[in-house]
mmCIF file of all heavy atoms in Angstrom:
data_model
loop_
_atom_site.group_PDB
_atom_site.id
_atom_site.type_symbol
_atom_site.label_atom_id
_atom_site.label_comp_id
_atom_site.label_asym_id
_atom_site.label_seq_id
_atom_site.Cartn_x
_atom_site.Cartn_y
_atom_site.Cartn_z
ATOM 1 N N ALA A 1 -11.074 1.938 -4.804
ATOM 2 C CA ALA A 1 -11.891 2.769 -5.584
ATOM 3 C C ALA A 1 -13.366 2.593 -5.173
ATOM 4 O O ALA A 1 -14.129 3.554 -5.045
ATOM 5 C CB ALA A 1 -11.733 2.407 -7.084
ATOM 6 N N ALA A 2 -13.770 1.306 -4.875
ATOM 7 C CA ALA A 2 -15.151 1.064 -4.418
ATOM 8 C C ALA A 2 -15.331 1.655 -3.045
ATOM 9 O O ALA A 2 -16.420 2.182 -2.694
ATOM 10 C CB ALA A 2 -15.423 -0.429 -4.416
ATOM 11 N N ALA A 3 -14.286 1.592 -2.202
ATOM 12 C CA ALA A 3 -14.434 2.203 -0.859
ATOM 13 C C ALA A 3 -14.622 3.689 -0.914
ATOM 14 O O ALA A 3 -15.324 4.244 -0.083
ATOM 15 C CB ALA A 3 -13.182 1.803 -0.052
ATOM 16 N N CYS A 4 -13.991 4.349 -1.874
ATOM 17 C CA CYS A 4 -14.122 5.753 -1.965
ATOM 18 C C CYS A 4 -15.571 6.178 -2.242
ATOM 19 O O CYS A 4 -16.004 7.271 -1.929
ATOM 20 C CB CYS A 4 -13.250 6.278 -3.110
ATOM 21 S SG CYS A 4 -11.475 6.196 -2.761
ATOM 22 N N GLN A 5 -16.356 5.223 -2.797
ATOM 23 C CA GLN A 5 -17.781 5.566 -3.141
ATOM 24 C C GLN A 5 -18.715 5.234 -1.980
ATOM 25 O O GLN A 5 -19.882 5.532 -2.064
ATOM 26 C CB GLN A 5 -18.153 4.755 -4.359
ATOM 27 C CG GLN A 5 -17.367 5.003 -5.628
ATOM 28 C CD GLN A 5 -17.786 4.060 -6.713
ATOM 29 O OE1 GLN A 5 -18.966 3.771 -6.959
ATOM 30 N NE2 GLN A 5 -16.804 3.492 -7.473
ATOM 31 N N ASN A 6 -18.208 4.673 -0.871
ATOM 32 C CA ASN A 6 -19.000 4.289 0.204
ATOM 33 C C ASN A 6 -18.529 4.979 1.513
ATOM 34 O O ASN A 6 -17.623 4.597 2.182
ATOM 35 C CB ASN A 6 -18.939 2.750 0.444
ATOM 36 C CG ASN A 6 -19.860 2.279 1.576
ATOM 37 O OD1 ASN A 6 -20.465 3.030 2.259
ATOM 38 N ND2 ASN A 6 -19.918 0.986 1.794
ATOM 39 N N SER A 7 -19.197 6.104 1.822
ATOM 40 C CA SER A 7 -18.801 6.875 3.010
ATOM 41 C C SER A 7 -19.678 6.489 4.200
ATOM 42 O O SER A 7 -19.627 7.178 5.215
ATOM 43 C CB SER A 7 -18.961 8.346 2.724
ATOM 44 O OG SER A 7 -20.332 8.736 2.292
ATOM 45 N N SER A 8 -20.459 5.424 4.095
ATOM 46 C CA SER A 8 -21.254 4.959 5.263
ATOM 47 C C SER A 8 -20.427 4.374 6.387
ATOM 48 O O SER A 8 -20.898 4.299 7.467
ATOM 49 C CB SER A 8 -22.340 4.010 4.756
ATOM 50 O OG SER A 8 -23.236 4.578 3.824
ATOM 51 N N VAL A 9 -19.256 3.987 6.019
ATOM 52 C CA VAL A 9 -18.319 3.398 7.063
ATOM 53 C C VAL A 9 -16.955 4.031 6.940
ATOM 54 O O VAL A 9 -16.637 4.688 5.929
ATOM 55 C CB VAL A 9 -18.175 1.883 6.906
ATOM 56 C CG1 VAL A 9 -19.494 1.169 7.048
ATOM 57 C CG2 VAL A 9 -17.511 1.538 5.540
ATOM 58 N N ASN A 10 -16.154 3.937 7.997
ATOM 59 C CA ASN A 10 -14.721 4.296 7.858
ATOM 60 C C ASN A 10 -14.024 3.243 7.043
ATOM 61 O O ASN A 10 -14.333 2.042 7.143
ATOM 62 C CB ASN A 10 -14.122 4.367 9.279
ATOM 63 C CG ASN A 10 -14.689 5.390 10.194
ATOM 64 O OD1 ASN A 10 -14.839 6.545 9.819
ATOM 65 N ND2 ASN A 10 -15.145 4.930 11.389
ATOM 66 N N TRP A 11 -13.023 3.690 6.279
ATOM 67 C CA TRP A 11 -12.215 2.707 5.562
ATOM 68 C C TRP A 11 -10.817 2.903 5.913
ATOM 69 O O TRP A 11 -10.250 3.990 5.923
ATOM 70 C CB TRP A 11 -12.411 2.864 4.024
ATOM 71 C CG TRP A 11 -13.689 2.401 3.488
ATOM 72 C CD1 TRP A 11 -14.847 3.125 3.371
ATOM 73 C CD2 TRP A 11 -14.010 1.072 3.008
ATOM 74 N NE1 TRP A 11 -15.854 2.324 2.903
ATOM 75 C CE2 TRP A 11 -15.350 1.080 2.671
ATOM 76 C CE3 TRP A 11 -13.258 -0.087 2.969
ATOM 77 C CZ2 TRP A 11 -15.992 -0.044 2.167
ATOM 78 C CZ3 TRP A 11 -13.901 -1.201 2.456
ATOM 79 C CH2 TRP A 11 -15.205 -1.226 2.078
ATOM 80 N N VAL A 12 -10.104 1.782 6.201
ATOM 81 C CA VAL A 12 -8.674 1.810 6.521
ATOM 82 C C VAL A 12 -8.027 0.859 5.536
ATOM 83 O O VAL A 12 -8.398 -0.301 5.426
ATOM 84 C CB VAL A 12 -8.391 1.380 7.947
ATOM 85 C CG1 VAL A 12 -6.855 1.287 8.185
ATOM 86 C CG2 VAL A 12 -9.054 2.320 8.942
ATOM 87 N N VAL A 13 -7.029 1.361 4.808
ATOM 88 C CA VAL A 13 -6.213 0.478 3.886
ATOM 89 C C VAL A 13 -4.907 0.235 4.534
ATOM 90 O O VAL A 13 -4.039 1.184 4.611
ATOM 91 C CB VAL A 13 -6.089 1.157 2.494
ATOM 92 C CG1 VAL A 13 -5.342 0.262 1.586
ATOM 93 C CG2 VAL A 13 -7.447 1.514 1.955
ATOM 94 N N LYS A 14 -4.690 -0.910 5.079
ATOM 95 C CA LYS A 14 -3.490 -1.236 5.839
ATOM 96 C C LYS A 14 -2.523 -2.013 4.948
ATOM 97 O O LYS A 14 -2.753 -3.153 4.571
ATOM 98 C CB LYS A 14 -3.821 -2.053 7.072
ATOM 99 C CG LYS A 14 -2.623 -2.226 8.010
ATOM 100 C CD LYS A 14 -3.032 -3.028 9.252
ATOM 101 C CE LYS A 14 -1.895 -3.177 10.192
ATOM 102 N NZ LYS A 14 -0.716 -3.766 9.578
ATOM 103 N N LEU A 15 -1.391 -1.331 4.587
ATOM 104 C CA LEU A 15 -0.428 -1.994 3.778
ATOM 105 C C LEU A 15 0.327 -3.058 4.622
ATOM 106 O O LEU A 15 0.483 -2.890 5.850
ATOM 107 C CB LEU A 15 0.562 -1.002 3.182
ATOM 108 C CG LEU A 15 -0.044 0.128 2.355
ATOM 109 C CD1 LEU A 15 0.987 0.934 1.652
ATOM 110 C CD2 LEU A 15 -1.039 -0.468 1.314
ATOM 111 N N HIS A 16 0.795 -4.118 3.949
ATOM 112 C CA HIS A 16 1.290 -5.326 4.635
ATOM 113 C C HIS A 16 2.606 -4.935 5.467
ATOM 114 O O HIS A 16 3.530 -4.410 4.942
ATOM 115 C CB HIS A 16 1.606 -6.420 3.666
ATOM 116 C CG HIS A 16 1.539 -7.788 4.265
ATOM 117 N ND1 HIS A 16 2.479 -8.207 5.156
ATOM 118 C CD2 HIS A 16 0.727 -8.833 4.096
ATOM 119 C CE1 HIS A 16 2.234 -9.456 5.554
ATOM 120 N NE2 HIS A 16 1.176 -9.842 4.883
ATOM 121 N N PRO A 17 2.577 -5.364 6.762
ATOM 122 C CA PRO A 17 3.769 -5.069 7.618
ATOM 123 C C PRO A 17 5.011 -5.791 7.139
ATOM 124 O O PRO A 17 6.124 -5.319 7.435
ATOM 125 C CB PRO A 17 3.322 -5.536 9.021
ATOM 126 C CG PRO A 17 2.243 -6.533 8.773
ATOM 127 C CD PRO A 17 1.536 -6.045 7.506
ATOM 128 N N ASP A 18 4.908 -6.937 6.423
ATOM 129 C CA ASP A 18 6.088 -7.616 5.913
ATOM 130 C C ASP A 18 6.911 -6.789 4.993
ATOM 131 O O ASP A 18 8.101 -7.072 4.720
ATOM 132 C CB ASP A 18 5.695 -8.918 5.227
ATOM 133 C CG ASP A 18 5.459 -10.082 6.222
ATOM 134 O OD1 ASP A 18 5.503 -9.788 7.483
ATOM 135 O OD2 ASP A 18 5.160 -11.169 5.751
ATOM 136 N N LEU A 19 6.290 -5.743 4.417
ATOM 137 C CA LEU A 19 7.065 -4.889 3.533
ATOM 138 C C LEU A 19 8.234 -4.237 4.227
ATOM 139 O O LEU A 19 9.247 -3.919 3.557
ATOM 140 C CB LEU A 19 6.171 -3.793 2.937
ATOM 141 C CG LEU A 19 5.161 -4.220 1.886
ATOM 142 C CD1 LEU A 19 4.141 -3.153 1.602
ATOM 143 C CD2 LEU A 19 5.860 -4.653 0.586
ATOM 144 N N VAL A 20 8.198 -4.088 5.544
ATOM 145 C CA VAL A 20 9.306 -3.511 6.252
ATOM 146 C C VAL A 20 10.597 -4.304 6.039
ATOM 147 O O VAL A 20 11.678 -3.724 5.635
ATOM 148 C CB VAL A 20 9.013 -3.452 7.807
ATOM 149 C CG1 VAL A 20 10.225 -2.988 8.547
ATOM 150 C CG2 VAL A 20 7.846 -2.468 8.019
ATOM 151 N N TRP A 21 10.531 -5.595 6.270
ATOM 152 C CA TRP A 21 11.744 -6.392 6.092
ATOM 153 C C TRP A 21 11.952 -6.910 4.658
ATOM 154 O O TRP A 21 13.089 -7.067 4.220
ATOM 155 C CB TRP A 21 11.730 -7.599 7.022
ATOM 156 C CG TRP A 21 10.704 -8.658 6.809
ATOM 157 C CD1 TRP A 21 9.452 -8.728 7.290
ATOM 158 C CD2 TRP A 21 10.911 -9.848 5.952
ATOM 159 N NE1 TRP A 21 8.851 -9.917 6.865
ATOM 160 C CE2 TRP A 21 9.718 -10.550 6.042
ATOM 161 C CE3 TRP A 21 11.981 -10.341 5.275
ATOM 162 C CZ2 TRP A 21 9.544 -11.792 5.379
ATOM 163 C CZ3 TRP A 21 11.822 -11.532 4.510
ATOM 164 C CH2 TRP A 21 10.602 -12.256 4.655
ATOM 165 N N LYS A 22 10.891 -7.081 3.886
ATOM 166 C CA LYS A 22 11.065 -7.500 2.491
ATOM 167 C C LYS A 22 11.780 -6.468 1.712
ATOM 168 O O LYS A 22 12.684 -6.748 0.906
ATOM 169 C CB LYS A 22 9.737 -7.851 1.898
ATOM 170 C CG LYS A 22 9.123 -9.181 2.287
ATOM 171 C CD LYS A 22 7.819 -9.414 1.656
ATOM 172 C CE LYS A 22 7.171 -10.772 2.097
ATOM 173 N NZ LYS A 22 7.926 -11.942 1.553
ATOM 174 N N LEU A 23 11.406 -5.169 1.866
ATOM 175 C CA LEU A 23 12.084 -4.131 1.094
ATOM 176 C C LEU A 23 13.455 -3.841 1.619
ATOM 177 O O LEU A 23 14.327 -3.487 0.865
ATOM 178 C CB LEU A 23 11.186 -2.827 1.197
ATOM 179 C CG LEU A 23 9.842 -2.960 0.422
ATOM 180 C CD1 LEU A 23 9.060 -1.626 0.633
ATOM 181 C CD2 LEU A 23 10.029 -3.336 -0.998
ATOM 182 N N LYS A 24 13.615 -4.042 2.925
ATOM 183 C CA LYS A 24 14.976 -3.898 3.513
ATOM 184 C C LYS A 24 15.884 -4.970 2.922
ATOM 185 O O LYS A 24 17.061 -4.702 2.603
ATOM 186 C CB LYS A 24 14.930 -3.998 4.964
ATOM 187 C CG LYS A 24 16.265 -3.651 5.706
ATOM 188 C CD LYS A 24 16.133 -3.633 7.196
ATOM 189 C CE LYS A 24 17.422 -3.295 7.873
ATOM 190 N NZ LYS A 24 17.892 -1.913 7.543
ATOM 191 N N TYR A 25 15.391 -6.132 2.798
ATOM 192 C CA TYR A 25 16.146 -7.233 2.204
ATOM 193 C C TYR A 25 16.543 -6.921 0.762
ATOM 194 O O TYR A 25 17.657 -7.233 0.298
ATOM 195 C CB TYR A 25 15.344 -8.549 2.207
ATOM 196 C CG TYR A 25 16.127 -9.769 1.859
ATOM 197 C CD1 TYR A 25 16.922 -10.455 2.713
ATOM 198 C CD2 TYR A 25 16.026 -10.226 0.500
ATOM 199 C CE1 TYR A 25 17.604 -11.590 2.373
ATOM 200 C CE2 TYR A 25 16.704 -11.378 0.151
ATOM 201 C CZ TYR A 25 17.500 -12.024 1.036
ATOM 202 O OH TYR A 25 18.225 -13.172 0.657
ATOM 203 N N GLU A 26 15.591 -6.284 0.043
ATOM 204 C CA GLU A 26 15.887 -5.893 -1.337
ATOM 205 C C GLU A 26 16.699 -4.608 -1.523
ATOM 206 O O GLU A 26 17.170 -4.260 -2.588
ATOM 207 C CB GLU A 26 14.576 -5.695 -2.134
ATOM 208 C CG GLU A 26 13.747 -7.016 -2.245
ATOM 209 C CD GLU A 26 14.374 -8.068 -3.108
ATOM 210 O OE1 GLU A 26 15.142 -7.685 -3.982
ATOM 211 O OE2 GLU A 26 14.108 -9.291 -2.873
ATOM 212 N N GLY A 27 16.873 -3.914 -0.398
ATOM 213 C CA GLY A 27 17.589 -2.646 -0.455
ATOM 214 C C GLY A 27 16.801 -1.549 -1.156
ATOM 215 O O GLY A 27 17.375 -0.567 -1.669
ATOM 216 N N PHE A 28 15.434 -1.639 -1.122
ATOM 217 C CA PHE A 28 14.580 -0.672 -1.837
ATOM 218 C C PHE A 28 14.193 0.418 -0.815
ATOM 219 O O PHE A 28 13.758 0.184 0.269
ATOM 220 C CB PHE A 28 13.344 -1.372 -2.362
ATOM 221 C CG PHE A 28 12.431 -0.448 -3.107
ATOM 222 C CD1 PHE A 28 12.660 -0.146 -4.446
ATOM 223 C CD2 PHE A 28 11.307 0.071 -2.521
ATOM 224 C CE1 PHE A 28 11.825 0.696 -5.168
ATOM 225 C CE2 PHE A 28 10.424 0.894 -3.214
ATOM 226 C CZ PHE A 28 10.706 1.231 -4.545
ATOM 227 N N THR A 29 14.261 1.672 -1.310
ATOM 228 C CA THR A 29 13.938 2.818 -0.407
ATOM 229 C C THR A 29 12.953 3.797 -1.117
ATOM 230 O O THR A 29 12.712 4.844 -0.562
ATOM 231 C CB THR A 29 15.207 3.582 -0.023
ATOM 232 O OG1 THR A 29 15.906 3.979 -1.182
ATOM 233 C CG2 THR A 29 16.118 2.707 0.834
ATOM 234 N N GLY A 30 12.435 3.494 -2.263
ATOM 235 C CA GLY A 30 11.588 4.441 -2.994
ATOM 236 C C GLY A 30 10.117 4.292 -2.508
ATOM 237 O O GLY A 30 9.880 3.695 -1.496
ATOM 238 N N GLU A 31 9.256 4.950 -3.299
ATOM 239 C CA GLU A 31 7.833 4.919 -2.952
ATOM 240 C C GLU A 31 7.297 3.475 -3.092
ATOM 241 O O GLU A 31 7.596 2.744 -4.031
ATOM 242 C CB GLU A 31 7.017 5.851 -3.854
ATOM 243 C CG GLU A 31 5.537 5.899 -3.499
ATOM 244 C CD GLU A 31 4.710 6.829 -4.431
ATOM 245 O OE1 GLU A 31 5.348 7.305 -5.369
ATOM 246 O OE2 GLU A 31 3.551 7.029 -4.174
ATOM 247 N N LEU A 32 6.443 3.054 -2.133
ATOM 248 C CA LEU A 32 5.878 1.714 -2.223
ATOM 249 C C LEU A 32 5.023 1.580 -3.457
ATOM 250 O O LEU A 32 4.298 2.499 -3.818
ATOM 251 C CB LEU A 32 5.023 1.408 -1.013
ATOM 252 C CG LEU A 32 5.774 1.293 0.347
ATOM 253 C CD1 LEU A 32 4.752 1.165 1.471
ATOM 254 C CD2 LEU A 32 6.696 0.184 0.337
ATOM 255 N N ARG A 33 5.108 0.438 -4.121
ATOM 256 C CA ARG A 33 4.309 0.186 -5.295
ATOM 257 C C ARG A 33 2.835 0.276 -4.986
ATOM 258 O O ARG A 33 2.025 0.754 -5.771
ATOM 259 C CB ARG A 33 4.663 -1.238 -5.804
ATOM 260 C CG ARG A 33 3.831 -1.678 -6.983
ATOM 261 C CD ARG A 33 4.323 -3.007 -7.523
ATOM 262 N NE ARG A 33 3.372 -3.624 -8.353
ATOM 263 C CZ ARG A 33 3.468 -4.838 -8.887
ATOM 264 N NH1 ARG A 33 4.581 -5.545 -8.595
ATOM 265 N NH2 ARG A 33 2.598 -5.372 -9.650
ATOM 266 N N ASP A 34 2.406 -0.138 -3.722
ATOM 267 C CA ASP A 34 1.021 -0.060 -3.340
ATOM 268 C C ASP A 34 0.495 1.300 -3.331
ATOM 269 O O ASP A 34 -0.548 1.647 -3.948
ATOM 270 C CB ASP A 34 0.874 -0.642 -1.918
ATOM 271 C CG ASP A 34 1.649 -1.970 -1.703
ATOM 272 O OD1 ASP A 34 2.896 -1.917 -1.907
ATOM 273 O OD2 ASP A 34 1.079 -2.943 -1.315
ATOM 274 N N SER A 35 1.190 2.226 -2.672
ATOM 275 C CA SER A 35 0.727 3.633 -2.564
ATOM 276 C C SER A 35 0.847 4.301 -3.903
ATOM 277 O O SER A 35 0.014 5.185 -4.254
ATOM 278 C CB SER A 35 1.538 4.371 -1.495
ATOM 279 O OG SER A 35 2.885 4.340 -1.783
ATOM 280 N N PHE A 36 1.879 3.949 -4.751
ATOM 281 C CA PHE A 36 2.002 4.516 -6.080
ATOM 282 C C PHE A 36 0.781 4.154 -6.923
ATOM 283 O O PHE A 36 0.224 4.942 -7.689
ATOM 284 C CB PHE A 36 3.262 4.089 -6.752
ATOM 285 C CG PHE A 36 3.379 4.534 -8.149
ATOM 286 C CD1 PHE A 36 3.799 5.839 -8.408
ATOM 287 C CD2 PHE A 36 3.187 3.678 -9.223
ATOM 288 C CE1 PHE A 36 3.928 6.259 -9.763
ATOM 289 C CE2 PHE A 36 3.273 4.059 -10.519
ATOM 290 C CZ PHE A 36 3.612 5.316 -10.802
ATOM 291 N N ALA A 37 0.380 2.863 -6.856
ATOM 292 C CA ALA A 37 -0.735 2.436 -7.672
ATOM 293 C C ALA A 37 -2.009 3.063 -7.265
ATOM 294 O O ALA A 37 -2.840 3.503 -8.121
ATOM 295 C CB ALA A 37 -0.941 0.897 -7.528
ATOM 296 N N ILE A 38 -2.201 3.248 -5.973
ATOM 297 C CA ILE A 38 -3.451 3.959 -5.505
ATOM 298 C C ILE A 38 -3.440 5.364 -5.936
ATOM 299 O O ILE A 38 -4.423 5.933 -6.409
ATOM 300 C CB ILE A 38 -3.557 3.835 -3.970
ATOM 301 C CG1 ILE A 38 -3.808 2.348 -3.587
ATOM 302 C CG2 ILE A 38 -4.702 4.737 -3.424
ATOM 303 C CD1 ILE A 38 -3.739 2.093 -2.063
ATOM 304 N N ARG A 39 -2.274 6.056 -5.734
ATOM 305 C CA ARG A 39 -2.188 7.436 -6.095
ATOM 306 C C ARG A 39 -2.362 7.705 -7.583
ATOM 307 O O ARG A 39 -3.052 8.645 -8.002
ATOM 308 C CB ARG A 39 -0.834 8.018 -5.634
ATOM 309 C CG ARG A 39 -0.607 9.502 -5.907
ATOM 310 C CD ARG A 39 0.656 9.999 -5.288
ATOM 311 N NE ARG A 39 1.843 9.186 -5.678
ATOM 312 C CZ ARG A 39 2.481 9.372 -6.844
ATOM 313 N NH1 ARG A 39 2.061 10.294 -7.696
ATOM 314 N NH2 ARG A 39 3.552 8.664 -7.128
ATOM 315 N N SER A 40 -1.768 6.888 -8.385
ATOM 316 C CA SER A 40 -1.779 7.083 -9.860
ATOM 317 C C SER A 40 -3.149 6.789 -10.501
ATOM 318 O O SER A 40 -3.543 7.346 -11.483
ATOM 319 C CB SER A 40 -0.671 6.284 -10.527
ATOM 320 O OG SER A 40 -0.876 4.899 -10.297
ATOM 321 N N LYS A 41 -3.851 5.804 -9.903
ATOM 322 C CA LYS A 41 -5.111 5.358 -10.508
ATOM 323 C C LYS A 41 -6.323 5.933 -9.797
ATOM 324 O O LYS A 41 -7.429 5.949 -10.411
ATOM 325 C CB LYS A 41 -5.163 3.849 -10.476
ATOM 326 C CG LYS A 41 -4.101 3.260 -11.368
ATOM 327 C CD LYS A 41 -4.164 1.741 -11.355
ATOM 328 C CE LYS A 41 -3.052 1.150 -12.211
ATOM 329 N NZ LYS A 41 -3.129 -0.354 -12.273
ATOM 330 N N ILE A 42 -6.188 6.401 -8.593
ATOM 331 C CA ILE A 42 -7.374 7.000 -7.868
ATOM 332 C C ILE A 42 -7.128 8.473 -7.517
ATOM 333 O O ILE A 42 -8.040 9.240 -7.616
ATOM 334 C CB ILE A 42 -7.615 6.182 -6.551
ATOM 335 C CG1 ILE A 42 -7.969 4.750 -6.896
ATOM 336 C CG2 ILE A 42 -8.722 6.867 -5.767
ATOM 337 C CD1 ILE A 42 -8.143 3.875 -5.710
#
């Protein structure tokens, strides 16, 4: 949210690569909680 207010720089939000195997281990295939939280609140 703070990054959205600062266009003086590029912003990259990199979700953690471990999610690839952690979610596979859990058998989860839905929307990532990270992106859902960003989308729903921002």
Side-chain angles (χ1 to χ4, degrees):
C4 290
Q5 301 176 42
N6 182 358
S7 60
S8 297
V9 300
N10 299 305
W11 287 91
V12 176
V13 182
K14 188 178 184 304
L15 302 188
H16 204 292
D18 276 6
L19 286 169
V20 172
W21 68 269
K22 285 181 181 288
L23 294 179
K24 187 175 182 64
Y25 187 84
E26 297 291 334
F28 181 81
T29 57
E31 181 180 8
L32 292 177
R33 176 176 164 183
D34 316 59
S35 56
F36 174 79
I38 293 172
R39 178 173 57 80
S40 61
K41 296 181 181 180
I42 298 176

